[in-house]
Amino acid sequence: RRGIAAPGSARAPASARLAATADEEAPVSAIELLSRGESDPFVRDLSEEIRGITGAGIDSLMNPAKVINLERELIGLREQAEEIEAQERRSADDESLLADIRALIEEKEAVSFREKRMVMKGWLRNVFRGQAVLCAFVGALLVYDAVPFFPNQELYIRVLGYWSWWLFTVPSLRSIKPLAKEEKTALDIAFLATLVASVATPIFTKDLPTIWWVDFAVVAASYAYGYTLGKGSALEAAIEETDGESDFDSRPPTTGGAFGESLFRAAKFAGKALDVGGGQERGVRSEEATALEKRLEEAIERKASTAEESDD
């Protein structure tokens, strides 16, 4: 989503003044701030506030990056409102702009209020992990036709044994929020790779236990990649907040290498098709700005243009 422009600047996001470093580098993303943890003063103060509400820090929230984005935007909007309020003489346009800013502040404060209270409890995370393990175990019993008290299962039921990796096990793990970046990377790969493996492996073998173990190996390899080569790679960067499209060609080489970048491009396309909303759970920005934000940005741009004309 496009940022709200600061007074006197037609394009700079309002939160950029908070996030940018002293030498005017690009604003730090919410995901980067989260990776710094409470060593960052902004994250520490916000985490303490959330801990007072829920009893747990910011990383326990369903959408921690969204909360950081909201709070940064609120700081920028409040600064804009204070600048207009400090003017001794305000025009009708100024009053209209101030009203829009106040309305947007109220809107974002309401969203922030809700998001700061959206926490997945530890017991629920354990339920999802237990469910994933149980589904994998039951799947193994099915492919080996070893279900207690129910021998000689039909083939179409036993086939569900290896499909359980894609249908139940991996989705159960992906339902846990928030996930560590490494595990999310692993599960994003596994969600697509187990589908491919479950479709392709039967072409080479009809042995159901073998297919189950291939899916198991795919999930294990996905975790190995996520926690080793995937750390800091282009694939991990997929879940980072961006204000535009990722441009891999302009980035320096990473430990993931060209393979990781190519894999991400394919995963990003397939993931959007198979998993609508994937990546949004940590608060990645939407591309759509609200009508109020668009109106506010247009008003600020007009004000900036008027100021530039008067200076000339």
Side-chain angles (χ1 to χ4, degrees), residues 135-136 138-140 142-143 155 157-169 194-195 197-202 205-216:
C135 289
V138 171
L142 284 173
V143 297
L155 179 62
I157 295 178
R158 294 182 60 202
V159 165
L160 285 175
Y162 68 80
W163 273 107
S164 65
W165 285 102
W166 184 73
L167 290 172
F168 306 113
T169 301
T194 52
L195 172 62
S198 296
V199 171
T201 308
T205 178
K206 305 300 180 184
D207 183 60
L208 300 186
T210 299
I211 302 173
W212 187 94
W213 282 106
V214 168
D215 282 327
F216 171 84

Side-chain angles (χ1 to χ4, degrees), residues 271-289:
K272 285 183 177 180
L274 295 171
D275 189 25
V276 176
Q280 298 287 335
E281 67 276 5
R282 297 283 292 181
V284 176
R285 289 181 181 270
S286 169
E287 295 296 330
E288 296 293 331

Side-chain angles (χ1 to χ4, degrees), residues 26-188:
V28 179
S29 73
I31 295 296
E32 174 62 24
L33 286 176
L34 281 172
S35 68
R36 296 177 183 179
E38 297 192 12
S39 61
D40 184 274
F42 179 74
V43 176
R44 182 175 62 250
D45 293 344
L46 190 54
S47 188
E48 289 176 358
E49 178 189 349
I50 294 167
R51 192 173 288 111
I53 298 171
T54 66
I58 188 171
D59 202 48
S60 66
L61 297 180
M62 298 279 282
N63 304 305
K66 182 175 182 178
V67 172
I68 288 179
N69 289 329
L70 284 168
E71 290 299 313
R72 295 199 299 186
E73 290 171 1
L74 282 168
I75 289 174
L77 289 169
R78 289 172 186 140
E79 288 177 357
Q80 291 181 23
E82 290 172 1
E83 290 175 7
I84 297 174
E85 290 169 349
Q87 296 175 10
E88 294 183 0
R89 295 180 180 179
R90 296 199 293 265
S91 65
D93 287 342
D94 289 334
E95 293 292 349
S96 176
L97 177 59
L98 182 58
D100 285 344
I101 291 175
R102 287 172 176 167
L104 188 56
I105 288 174
E106 290 181 4
E107 177 185 308
K108 290 185 179 294
E109 283 179 339
V111 176
S112 180
F113 179 87
R114 293 193 302 269
E115 291 292 340
K116 288 176 181 176
R117 287 155 178 80
M118 293 179 63
V119 178
M120 180 175 282
K121 300 296 184 180
W123 67 266
L124 185 56
R125 294 195 192 105
N126 293 335
V127 167
F128 280 122
R129 290 199 183 276
Q131 177 179 289
V133 173
L134 179 62
C135 289
F137 178 70
V138 171
L141 292 179
L142 284 173
V143 297
Y144 280 99
D145 197 12
V147 180
F149 311 112
F150 296 94
N152 304 318
Q153 292 290 331
E154 297 290 339
L155 179 62
Y156 67 88
I157 295 178
R158 294 182 60 202
V159 165
L160 285 175
Y162 68 80
W163 273 107
S164 65
W165 285 102
W166 184 73
L167 290 172
F168 306 113
T169 301
V170 174
S172 293
L173 293 173
R174 296 180 84 224
S175 297
I176 300 170
K177 300 175 183 178
L179 282 170
K181 290 187 292 184
E182 295 83 1
E183 185 170 13
K184 188 180 188 308
T185 298
L187 291 172
D188 285 347

Side-chain angles (χ1 to χ4, degrees), residues 235-250:
L235 184 59
E236 183 181 306
I239 65 171
E240 291 188 1
E241 171 202 68
T242 58
D243 289 323
E245 291 296 322
S246 297
D247 181 10
F248 293 111
D249 295 334
S250 63

